[in-house]
Amino acid sequence: MGEKAIPIFPCRSIQSTWDFYRALGFEQTTWQTRPNPYLAVRRGDVELQFFGWKKHDPAASMNMCYITTTEVDALYEAFRGGLREALGRVPTRGLPRLSALRDMSYGVRQFLLSDPDGLQLRIGQAISDDTRHAPIPEEKVARAFHMAALLGESKGDHLAASRILDRLLRSGEALSPSERLKALVLRADAAAHLEEWPLVRALVAEARAIGPADSSELADDLGRLADLEAAVPVDGPASSTGDAR
């Protein structure tokens, strides 16, 4: 006997939802407009279903689904490319949005994808047999990176993440080029969420001026830097013009 679970989520429009998932490479398996709007999509072994509900509030959505994969890097690049083609950029804030791809402290390499209705897909690949949370690092720089990423992505507290990174960048700590680039990218990511566009531009420019010794170790950060650079509005509103450092 075999069982299979397929989650069903609310959406405001099955057409808009289908447009989004089609851009990610999903195929449509069910389409119903009456008596009740209903959509089912599939990509490989991943199946999602949606029911239309005009009163759904994406900002209040707590819906999540975890997807495991054996090719998280390839899937991330496929989604990233699909969103860039459909939207003209990779959305880094608001809805929809795509997070950075990162190695987590609990032995998983993952990224987060939120759709236009606030459904968050957590997509990860195990990179260790030990999936317990590692202790918070004691070393100052590693601890700052850990806490900033945790507060920003998991908690959505981008202001708190900004403060941690500002303290690190102002501290006079002897950061290697790789560490400084990582700090600047994390800070630019937080600034983008806070719509501090002049600051994002300044942080991106400073990060671009750094020549890391081994860019292969910073592939995730450099990819995120490119997405943040493309996400800055040409004439974006200025919520802050302060110095991050």
Side-chain angles (χ1 to χ4, degrees):
M1 182 174 68
E3 291 78 30
K4 182 177 182 179
I6 302 176
I8 305 174
F9 299 106
C11 68
R12 292 163 297 172
S13 163
I14 59 172
Q15 180 63 60
S16 296
T17 299
W18 165 234
D19 290 341
F20 177 77
Y21 284 95
R22 177 172 53 187
L24 300 176
F26 282 77
E27 63 176 315
Q28 184 184 118
T29 58
T30 299
W31 175 272
Q32 174 182 294
T33 57
R34 295 182 179 181
N36 299 303
Y38 205 88
L39 168 71
V41 298
R42 178 173 60 208
R43 192 184 197 280
D45 291 330
V46 177
E47 294 189 45
L48 302 171
Q49 297 187 9
F50 302 89
F51 64 95
W53 184 28
K54 293 183 179 180
K55 294 183 179 181
H56 174 65
D57 180 5
S61 174
M62 299 293 289
N63 297 320
M64 297 183 187
C65 179
Y66 202 97
I67 297 172
T68 59
T69 177
T70 57
E71 298 183 0
V72 70
D73 286 80
L75 195 58
Y76 183 73
E77 287 306 320
F79 285 3
R80 189 170 171 238
L83 290 171
R84 186 187 296 112
E85 182 176 350
L87 304 176
R89 60 181 176 81
V90 177
T92 60
R93 56 170 294 277
L95 294 175
R97 69 178 177 273
L98 181 70
S99 79
L101 176 62
R102 290 198 175 96
D103 294 344
M104 310 305 292
S105 64
Y106 42 89
V108 173
R109 182 165 171 76
Q110 76 172 22
F111 64 94
L112 313 181
L113 172 70
S114 296
D115 77 4
D117 287 289
L119 165 62
Q120 184 184 91
L121 302 180
R122 292 178 170 244
I123 303 167
Q125 176 178 352
I127 54 175
S128 171
D129 292 333
D130 187 354
T131 57
R132 295 173 296 177
H133 282 271
I136 296 175
E138 295 292 335
E139 193 274 325
K140 181 177 179 180
V141 177
R143 184 183 182 89
F145 290 157
H146 174 87
M147 294 305 299
L150 176 66
L151 288 167
E153 289 192 357
S154 298
K155 304 292 186 180
D157 193 345
H158 304 289
L159 186 58
S162 297
R163 290 169 178 157
I164 290 172
L165 294 163
D166 285 346
R167 283 196 296 271
L168 176 64
L169 289 164
R170 290 172 178 155
S171 67
E173 188 78 18
L175 301 176
S176 69
S178 296
E179 289 172 335
R180 188 162 191 85
L181 187 141
K182 184 181 289 290
L184 290 168
V185 172
L186 281 169
R187 183 62 180 91
D189 210 337
H193 280 279
L194 296 170
E195 299 187 14
E196 300 172 327
W197 300 118
L199 182 53
V200 175
R201 292 188 187 95
L203 291 161
V204 167
E206 184 174 346
R208 284 292 184 200
I210 297 174
D214 185 1
S215 60
S216 64
E217 295 182 0
L218 294 167
D220 295 341
D221 300 289
L222 292 171
R224 189 60 170 178
L225 181 62
D227 292 343
L228 290 167
E229 190 172 31
V232 177
V234 175
D235 297 310
S239 296
S240 170
T241 57
D243 186 358
R245 294 152 306 285

